[in-house]
Each structure stands twice: as C-alpha cells, then as structure tokens.
Amino acid sequence: MTAPQGGESADTGTGTASDAQDSSAAHSTSDHIPARPLRDRLAAQRERVAALVRERSADDPTADDPLRGLYLSKDAVQHLLEKSGPEREDSAERVVVARSAPLGPADRLAGLAARMGLTDLEATILLLALAPDLDRDFEQLYGYLNNDVSRRRATVGLVLDVCGLPALDATARDLFHPTAPLSWLGLVRVEEPDAPFLGRTLRVPDRLAAHLIGNDTPDAALEGHVRALRPSPAGAGDSLTGKLAKPLAQPDPPVIYLRERREGDGLACAAAALTAAGRPALHLTTAAETRSRETGEQRDSGDEQSSGGTHTHSPVQQLLLEARLRGSAIVVYPLPEQPADLIRSLDAGDVPVILIGATPYDPQWCDPDPLVLDAPSSTSDTVGLWAAALGVESAQDLGFDLAGTVATYRLGGDRIRRAAHSALDLAALDDTDVTAEHLRLAARQQSASGLERHARRIMPAVGWNDLVLPKAPLEHLHELAQRARHRERVLGDWQLSAGGGRGRGVLAMFAGESGTGKTLSAEVIAADLGLDLYVVQLSSVVDKYVGETEKNLERIFSEADRTDAVLLFDEADAVFGKRSDVKDAHDRYANLESAYLLQRLESFSGIALLTTNLRANIDDAFTRRLDLVVDFPFPDEDQRLALWRHSLAHVPCADDIDPAPCARDFELAGGSIRSAVVTAAYAAATRGGSVTSDDLLVGARREYRKAGRLVVGDAGW
C-alpha cells in the first residue's frame, strides 16, 4: 500500500523551526493537540499574523503612498491591528451569540489531527490555509503580506514566514510536496503550479472547512452515488465476520475482496464485519464509479499536475476525504466490469476498502493483491434473517408460515433486509400486519432481472384448483414444487449435491399433446412458489450464425441463475432435440449446440421447465439430467366434462345448460375446450344473453373443424 511521507517531512520540518529565531508552540512535535475551541485557535493564529503585519508595516516605505489603496493603506493596516485586541474577541463573541451557534466542537481539529497522524506544525499549516474561509479579516491581512490585495489566501511563503521556517530549508518545503501528509490526504491543495513555489496558493476543500465547524453534510459531488452503509448485526457470530473485524479496525487496513455466490451475501458480510469492528462505512455504488471513470482524464491530468505542486480532486478523491473525515470504511458494491482504475484510486493505505463482486479476482486489478475471501452464504439461517429484518424475535410471532413462504427465495442477506423493508411498507399501505403475500411481492421485486430481454414475463394468476388432471401427473407436479422449495436444504445443508460443479437447479419436462395443460401447469407451479414465470422466446434465442444461439442461451441461463423465477422453454424440442450422425457441417454445429446445453444444465441453479408435444424428439441425454418427467395424458370423458364445467365457472349460463353431450361427443383437450367456451361466450355477449347448450355445441364443432376432423352435418359426412 502507498503511504504519505508523514514522518520524515513533519519531524524534520519541526526541528528546523525550533532552530529558527521565532520559537513557537506551533513547532511542537507532540502527537496530540489539546482540545480547544476553533475560535480560540483562529484568534491565536490571528495574533501571530498581526505581529508579522506590524513588523512589516513599521518601516514600509509605501505606507504614505496615496496609490497604495489599490492594496492596503497604512490606516487600513492600523485599523486591522487595532481590531486584534480584547475588544475584537468581545465583538466576535457578540456575533456568535447573535447567531446562536458556536463555531464547532472543541475537538474537531484535534480529532482530525489525531486520526490522520498530523504533527502540531502540520495542523498549524492547515489552520493558516483555512483561516480566510472562516474569518474575513484574514483576507486583508494575507493581502498585505502577499503584497497583492487580490491574493487573499495563504501562500507557501506566507505560511513559512508565519511559522518561522526558512524558505531555503528543503525539509520545510517538503511539507507542501504532493506526497506529504497534507496534500496526500487531501487536506490542503497547493494550486497554481506555474507560479513561483513561494507564491503558490494554499486552499482547503470546502468539505473540510464545513467539517471543522460542525457540519457533517456529505460533499454535494457524492450525492446520489454514495450512501451510508447501515450497521448490521446479521452474521455477527460468523467466523469470517470475526476474523475481518480485527484488520478493519487497524490504522493500516488491507484492501479486501469478498466474492459472493448469491447477490447480497457479500454486502451483508461486510456490514456485519464493519459493525463488529466499530467502523461506519460509505457504500460506493456503480453510478459513482462510472462518474469517476468518466472523469478519469481529469484525474490523470491532476496526477500530472501534482508533480508540479497541485492536486485535482476527482469524485473518488472526494470520497476518500469524506471517509477520512468520518473515520469510515469504503464498500464498493457491485463491482464494475473494469475495476482496476477504481481500485488503484481507492488504495490509499489508510482507509479500509471492501470490494464485493461475483467474478473471480484478477491479479491485474491491483498490486499488491487484496485479501481475497469467499462471502459466507446466508442460506444457513434464512428464516432467522427474515425474522430479524421484519423486526420480530421469532418466526412464530408472525401470523403465517414464514419458513414456507421464503423457502423458494435465494436472496442474499442485504436483499433479505431490503425485501423485508418493502414488505413492511406494503403492509403499512394496506393498513394491516405483514402477510405472506406482502413478502412474496417484495421478494419478487428484489429478483427483478434482465430476463425480459429474452423471455416473456407472466405474473401467475392461477392455482391448483385450475388444474384438471389425473392423480399421477398432479402428484408429480406437487413433488416438483416441493423439490424447488427444499432444494437448498437437501442439496446444500444435507450435502446431497452430486458435486463436480453441478448446480442446485430443478429441471423438469412436461410432455403431452397440445392443449393438455403443460403451460398452465408451469404457471401453477410458479404461483405456488411465489415466483414469476418467464417463457423463453425461441425467436430471440435461435440464430442462423454459428455460436450465436449458444451465446443467447448463456445470457438466459446466467440471468436465471441469479434470479428467483421459473424459466419455461415452450416447444423445447426445437432447442433440446436429438443429436444425429455427422454427415455435414450443419450436423456438426447442431451437435455442438446440444453438447453446450447438456453441460449448461449440469451447472444450472435455477428452476427450468421444458414442454414438448413430441417427447421422442428430446435427446435421451437431456432426459437423464431432468429431475422429473411429467406426462400429460389426453383427457377422458369425465375429465373433459370437468374441464367444460371449470371453463364455464365464471360465465353467465342458461339454467338448462348441459355440457355433458359436448364432453361425450367431442374429444377435445383442455385448451380446445377453453377456446370453444370463449366462442360460445362471444355469441352470448353479442345477443345480450347467457350461454346456452347450443352455443357450446357451436364452439365445440368449430374446434373440431380447426383440428381437421369431420363433424356430423358437414358436407360429405
């Protein structure tokens, strides 16, 4: 880690000052500055500046020059000197009382010097550079000492004179070097690199001045890009959390990279470790990083100028200053795609930095390497995390089954906290206690993803009562839902995963004729799990160019891996078809596509359902990797009658309506029966009446003809 030249320049410079003719308490090398009100410190420095002004104005040959008003006249100087007596303190006190606000806490400057390891001399230089921003009288005094009424800030030469440091002393000049503590830490900026060294202006950032007088409002440049990280006791007992607390509390903490498996786990671990270390933290979002990257040229320019004696502050440097003023750590999450420049900018050596991401660490990011660790998963006590986030001591304090409600969601620790907060807001909006439905809705919002670019989103609005199926497939569907609900416990906690990098996904295939309820069953499964259903659009996946189909599928699988949703491949035989003998280049590339899918399904950790009308067309290798294959038989007469009645449940019907003849005479699947009822409903709505048996007969005949089958009464029958 890079560190400023704190010890050498400050101590040597102080030694030089002690040999100078003006020996002062400001040259003390004590490590702690006694706590004093900032007003008293300014008054003491003003007396020293006033003494220098008296010395220079006593024999000033231009004191009686009538043109000297362009800068300061002797009378003006005398007026300033007269204001430095006891009556000025009374006047200042009256002003302070009139404003009913003190200048700031007594120990702000002392605390800042102690945290940043400043000597008394460096703290004095900081105060001299800051003085014109706090007391306007210093502007005129500095203008006189600079021999230029327009130069109302402290300069390098002015500060050296006030502190009694020789201008030709190399160690004294090193106090203003870019690598010296004052410049390195961003406390004092040395401006005007083209000016002579002694005439260069010293400026203190406005944020630092505001901090010293008691204002803790963050820098406006960081607004919207940085937020305070909430303390979190979650995971406080975790072994990794305890290990991280110690280095984070050190004055020279390492850079830490937490790689998370599930989004939100890394942020929860970082918050818990920082809480245990007693450090507040600032959370740098991608937006702030992007802005800093956009101003990278400005930062590079500032680095070049710093060799000449100035320092251009980018948003990242302002963030470092804010962290130093607060004694905070910096948490970067999510990590940008190209984080090298950002990491190098943040690696200052004195501010704890925690990087969080899902990608493996790249040694090209920085040198030396950070402390690379895997963030612990929050799945071990998910129910406890949800209960704590909801503000209850136990899940039993809620009026519903919390464990069953949240079992299907794989949210990380921070995502759980945010989802719980949203659920509480939804409950407050409804003026009720939080319910399972509030939790499901909030959890789905946290799982919002980019899947809609490749798949059609369906918000399920059906339930198990909407399925009319034989006992066997219905039991298989219930089993599928239970597999999705308990996979983390069985495959993770009970260690029944096959290993070899295999994921914890749930894969199933629904096989049956068109209209037998395959897609509806997928929607019912998603509704039961409290998840959204995404139907993959084959038009956005299949590409005529070699390799593009695999890339599109990889985007879908990767997004589904990090999203709590049910992924549906409708008409899956178009993608998961059988491999064939290689007779030409087309067969070779088609087989490569199937091989990719076989490998990708092995590592998939989401929920994927495949539907097909032609099970024989699905490659046997795909079938072996499936958890369940559910066959949807064509409905018999009793099931068809149940389907007719279910479709008519919400339709106004005539008193004598009887769908039994249609169920007996027309062998239609559930989808066709629903279409026939829709046709009958439109006929009834057109004449303004109720659906009759004749309407049902017309609809059934139309569906029969659509299927290419003959109906009694048709020509040629």
Side-chain angles (χ1 to χ4, degrees):
M1 308 297 176
T2 309
Q5 303 175 354
E8 296 182 16
S9 63
D11 292 344
T12 309
T14 304
T16 304
S18 64
D19 296 334
Q21 29 181 327
D22 184 12
S23 177
S24 171
H27 305 158
S28 170
T29 58
S30 64
D31 293 331
H32 177 70
I33 303 175
R36 296 170 55 192
L38 189 57
R39 184 178 65 252
D40 294 347
R41 296 183 187 278
L42 285 172
Q45 296 305 320
R46 191 180 184 286
E47 289 298 331
R48 302 183 65 191
V49 173
L52 186 59
V53 172
R54 288 192 190 95
E55 178 184 343
R56 291 190 181 181
S57 63
D59 55 355
D60 188 352
T62 64
D64 297 328
D65 189 346
L67 298 179
R68 205 175 189 281
L70 294 175
Y71 37 98
L72 280 176
S73 66
K74 186 174 182 180
D75 291 339
V77 171
Q78 187 61 33
H79 176 68
L80 289 173
L81 298 181
E82 291 174 354
K83 291 176 60 180
S84 64
E87 66 279 2
R88 184 197 178 266
E89 292 192 11
D90 295 340
S91 174
E93 186 66 28
R94 286 194 299 272
V95 173
V96 172
V97 172
R99 294 177 180 174
S100 301
L103 283 177
D107 60 346
R108 282 270 169 142
L109 182 59
L112 177 71
R115 286 198 310 274
M116 300 193 179
L118 302 180
T119 64
D120 284 3
L121 178 58
E122 290 164 341
T124 300
I125 294 174
L126 172 61
L127 190 59
L128 288 171
L130 176 67
D133 293 310
L134 303 180
D135 189 338
R136 295 193 63 183
D137 286 349
F138 278 91
E139 295 184 47
Q140 301 178 68
L141 294 174
Y142 284 2
Y144 181 85
L145 294 177
N146 288 325
N147 199 31
D148 187 344
V149 73
S150 65
R151 299 179 63 80
R152 299 190 171 195
R153 290 193 174 275
T155 59
V156 173
L158 185 152
V159 169
L160 293 177
D161 288 343
V162 173
C163 294
L165 298 173
L168 298 180
D169 192 308
T171 56
R173 297 167 77 101
D174 278 347
L175 291 168
F176 305 94
H177 193 272
T179 59
L182 290 175
S183 294
W184 176 265
L185 297 174
L187 305 178
V188 175
R189 304 176 191 175
V190 184
E191 300 181 331
E192 301 175 283
D194 294 333
F197 181 77
L198 296 178
R200 292 175 185 172
T201 302
L202 304 181
R203 183 186 295 271
V204 175
D206 292 343
R207 176 66 190 97
L208 175 56
H211 170 78
L212 291 176
I213 64 174
N215 186 351
D216 291 322
T217 304
D219 195 306
L222 302 177
E223 185 176 357
H225 309 296
V226 175
R227 65 170 183 261
L229 186 66
R230 294 184 180 181
S232 173
D238 185 86
S239 58
L240 179 59
T241 299
K243 292 178 182 178
L244 287 179
K246 185 175 180 180
L248 287 173
Q250 295 176 352
D252 54 345
V255 175
I256 298 172
Y257 177 56
L258 290 177
R259 185 183 179 188
E260 60 180 5
R261 185 179 69 88
R262 187 64 179 168
E263 188 174 354
D265 284 341
L267 197 60
C269 177
L274 289 166
T275 300
R279 273 195 185 270
L282 296 172
H283 180 191
L284 173 64
T285 64
T286 306
E289 184 278 328
T290 302
R291 181 176 177 185
S292 70
R293 190 165 62 228
E294 290 173 352
T295 57
E297 296 181 0
Q298 177 184 357
R299 185 182 65 246
D300 295 340
S301 174
D303 292 340
E304 294 174 0
Q305 291 176 349
S306 66
S307 62
T310 191
H311 225 49
T312 301
H313 276 215
S314 71
V316 172
Q317 292 169 316
Q318 292 170 335
L319 174 61
L320 283 171
L321 176 61
E322 188 69 34
R324 289 172 178 134
L325 294 179
R326 295 170 176 241
S328 299
I330 296 176
V331 176
V332 182
Y333 178 76
L335 200 65
E337 293 182 3
Q338 302 295 332
D341 291 340
L342 177 65
I343 296 174
R344 295 189 190 103
S345 300
L346 290 175
D347 187 10
D350 62 320
V351 176
V353 177
I354 300 179
L355 313 169
I356 302 173
T359 57
Y361 168 71
D362 187 347
Q364 300 296 324
W365 288 352
C366 61
D367 184 23
D369 296 326
L371 184 61
V372 181
L373 301 167
D374 289 327
S377 175
S378 60
T379 57
S380 57
D381 187 22
T382 303
V383 177
L385 292 178
W386 278 99
L390 290 170
V392 296
E393 295 184 1
S394 173
Q396 284 70 31
D397 296 338
L398 299 169
F400 57 91
D401 180 13
L402 179 61
T405 301
V406 303
T408 56
Y409 303 110
R410 299 172 297 153
L411 300 178
D414 181 66
R415 295 285 181 173
I416 289 176
R417 178 189 60 79
R418 295 175 62 177
H421 186 271
S422 297
L424 292 172
D425 288 342
L426 291 171
L429 183 64
D430 294 339
D431 196 20
T432 63
D433 293 334
V434 66
T435 64
E437 189 57 35
H438 292 140
L439 276 186
R440 290 193 181 100
L441 179 57
R444 286 203 299 268
Q445 291 171 349
Q446 292 300 318
S447 296
S449 68
L451 272 175
E452 291 192 40
R453 292 192 297 267
H454 311 285
R456 177 168 53 91
R457 181 188 182 192
I458 297 176
M459 297 182 66
V462 293
W464 292 105
N465 293 332
D466 295 299
L467 287 180
V468 179
L469 292 172
K471 181 179 180 181
L474 196 58
E475 288 179 347
H476 289 161
L477 293 178
H478 280 286
E479 179 185 347
L480 177 62
Q482 294 306 319
R483 280 177 174 262
R485 186 171 281 111
H486 301 299
R487 55 187 163 141
E488 292 294 341
R489 178 186 299 178
V490 173
L491 300 180
D493 298 344
W494 295 353
Q495 300 182 7
L496 288 178
S497 177
R502 290 177 174 84
R504 299 178 183 178
V506 175
L507 308 173
M509 181 173 69
F510 297 165
E513 295 185 32
S514 178
T516 52
K518 301 184 297 296
T519 304
L520 178 63
S521 296
E523 188 174 348
V524 170
I525 292 291
D528 183 64
L529 298 175
L531 304 176
D532 289 332
L533 177 68
Y534 286 88
V535 182
V536 176
Q537 306 285 350
L538 293 181
S539 60
S540 66
V541 173
V542 179
D543 197 297
K544 66 178 181 180
Y545 295 104
V546 174
E548 291 301 315
T549 300
E550 290 89 334
K551 291 180 181 179
N552 294 334
L553 286 169
E554 177 60 31
R555 296 188 189 100
I556 293 174
F557 280 118
S558 297
E559 194 66 30
D561 263 333
R562 57 176 293 271
T563 302
D564 288 323
V566 176
L567 194 63
L568 175 64
F569 288 90
D570 207 4
E571 307 297 341
D573 46 292
V575 181
F576 298 85
K578 282 189 174 182
R579 290 167 290 184
S580 60
D581 294 335
V582 178
K583 297 179 180 179
D584 55 28
H586 297 287
D587 295 333
R588 176 172 178 265
Y589 288 119
N591 289 345
L592 283 176
E593 179 181 312
S594 297
Y596 158 77
L597 282 170
L598 289 171
Q599 295 176 354
R600 191 62 180 87
L601 286 177
E602 291 278 4
S603 61
F604 184 58
S605 294
I607 304 173
L609 305 178
L610 287 62
T611 67
T612 179
N613 299 340
L614 301 170
R615 177 177 175 179
N617 288 352
I618 301 294
D619 196 296
D620 292 338
F622 288 114
T623 306
R624 185 183 64 80
R625 286 165 171 80
L626 299 174
D627 295 299
L628 283 172
V629 176
V630 184
D631 289 310
F632 287 75
F634 196 87
D636 57 21
E637 181 178 342
D638 292 338
Q639 291 170 357
R640 291 198 298 270
L641 179 58
L643 288 168
W644 279 101
R645 288 173 175 169
H646 184 274
S647 298
L648 291 168
H650 302 288
V651 178
C653 299
D655 295 337
D656 59 346
I657 191 171
D658 182 12
C662 293
R664 182 185 64 249
D665 298 336
F666 297 93
E667 295 180 354
L668 297 174
S672 299
I673 290 174
R674 179 186 175 278
S675 297
V677 172
V678 170
T679 299
Y682 273 117
T686 301
R687 66 172 181 269
S690 300
V691 176
T692 64
S693 297
D694 291 339
D695 294 328
L696 296 182
L697 185 59
V698 171
R701 286 175 174 174
R702 182 169 298 178
E703 292 303 314
Y704 235 47
R705 294 188 184 99
K706 284 167 57 178
R709 305 172 72 175
L710 294 176
V711 180
V712 176
D714 287 346
W717 175 259

